[in-house]
Every structure is written in structure tokens, then in C-alpha cells.
Amino acid sequence: MLLALIIAGTLAGGLISVLLAALLAFRVFGAWINQLVSFAVGVMLGAAFLDILPEAARSNVSVPHLLATVLGGIVTFFLLEKLALWRHAHVTLEDAQHAHPHPAGMMILLGDGLHNFVDGILIAAAFLTDIKLGLITSVAVIAHEIPQELGDFVVLLRSGYSKRTALILNSISGLASMVGGVLGYFALSHGEAFIPYVLAVAAASFIYIAIADLIPGLHEHVGGRALVYQPVLMLAGVALIVLQHLLLDS
């Protein structure tokens, strides 16, 4: 039962988000990407601070150790991104217009596969802790994967890939999330003591992506309209996590 939920959660976070992003990329070509990013920031920060970290803190691990793990995770993601091993930077349509040929597309696919694999492990750790936390973590992953995958599709299309090829390659990359989830389930089922630390890394991942990758892109859009819709959609993302938390507790 639990493994089935993990597989469903990772498929939703990896494969279904790819299909939804493809629909947007092929139909509206990313016209709503900045609105989606604003919403994703709220969902990710809400999940990290209101659910994942509090749940990790309920364990026997000391809070200073958990916070040190979060700090270490943020620094590690920064270093990996510098080394181009952890690729989840938000890609805008303007960036895509200047994308390089095929090597840029392949770098995105390889980095995205690693990112999805790690997401799968984090989803597995969340479900092993609590089904409610697993569902919330899956929603947070989907929220940031859709705008990210949308940007990936734009870059792949600009790099010369056909729509069909871009969809197939991105779907294969998305399946890495399920692989990570299954491996995480079997590894963490026999290592319960590590789960709080994995949750802290999950929180670090969401915080880093939101603060370092997504929010800087939002600052590129100035004006009264952005000043209104960006914080409103961020709060809507946080509200979704709060609402989901209340519904699952009822």
C-alpha cells in the first residue's frame, strides 16, 4: 500500500507534471509561466516551513542538528548547481530564445533526471513518515516541476528537438523520480533513523529552489501588475498547503 502511494506520488511529480507542462508549452507556449512560478514559490515554502520541518522536528533528532542539515543541504545544492550536476534553475522564455544548440538540451535532460531522482527519494521519505506529509510533499514537487518542465520544453524546442522527441526525452527524465522513490522506500524502510535528516534535506531543496532559482526570475518582471499578482499567487500557494493540511487532519 505504502509503496503504491510512493509510486503514485513520484509518477505525479515526475511524469504527470511533464505531460501538463507539455500541454502548456505546445498550446500556449508558456504564456502563464511566471504566474505558475509565483504559485510554486508559495507551495514550496509553505510545504518546507509548515509541514516538512515541523514533522522532522517531531523525531528524536535535536532541532539544531536538523537545522544544520538544512543549512548543509542548501550549501550542497549551491555547489552542485555550480558544478552543473543539479539542474533545476527556472528558465524564462527570454532565456530560451538565446538557448544554445543540442548540448544545452542534453545538459538540461541529464540534470533534470538527477533532480527527479532526488525528488523521488524525498517523496519516499515523506510517505514513510506520514501519508499526509507524503501527499503534501508530492503536491509541492508537482507545483515546482510544472513551470520548470515548461521552461525545459521551451529550451528543447529552441535547441532543435521536435515536439515528439522533447516529450519522449522529458518523460524518460521524469521517470527517474519513480526510480528514486522505489529505491528510497527500500533503503529508508531499514533506516528509519535517517528519515528526519532526509526530510531536512527535502526542506532545504524546496527552500533553495524557491529562494535561489525561482524568486530571482520573478524580480525580472517589474511594474504594478507583477507587484500584485506575484505576492497574491505566492500566498495562494501557501494557502493550498494550509488547506490541504486541514483537510487531511479532518
Side-chain angles (χ1 to χ4, degrees), residues 6-18 116 119-120 123 137-146 149 174-175 177-178:
I6 291 172
I7 291 174
T10 53
L11 281 177
L15 191 58
I16 294 178
S17 62
V18 168
N116 290 332
D119 276 347
I123 289 174
T137 303
S138 298
V139 169
V141 168
I142 294 170
H144 86 264
E145 280 294 330
I146 292 177
E149 296 293 352
L175 288 174
S177 179
M178 184 181 68

Side-chain angles (χ1 to χ4, degrees), residues 102-121:
H102 292 283
M106 290 307 299
M107 178 61 72
I108 283 176
L109 291 170
L110 291 173
D112 204 26
L114 174 61
H115 179 198
N116 290 332
F117 179 80
V118 174
D119 276 347
I121 296 175

Side-chain angles (χ1 to χ4, degrees), residues 46-57:
F49 287 106
L50 301 180
D51 274 296
I52 298 176
L53 285 177
E55 187 64 42

Side-chain angles (χ1 to χ4, degrees), residues 11 62 69-70 81 86 102 130 154 174 218 236 250:
L11 281 177
S62 69
T69 303
V70 173
E81 192 168 32
W86 175 265
H102 292 283
D130 183 69
V154 173
L218 295 179
S250 62

Side-chain angles (χ1 to χ4, degrees), residues 18-19 22 26 109 153 156-157 160-172:
V18 168
L19 298 177
F26 299 160
L109 291 170
F153 271 115
L156 290 174
L157 294 176
Y161 292 94
S162 67
K163 291 181 179 180
R164 182 172 180 270
T165 301
L167 178 58
I168 291 174
L169 292 177
N170 243 359
S171 297
I172 294 173

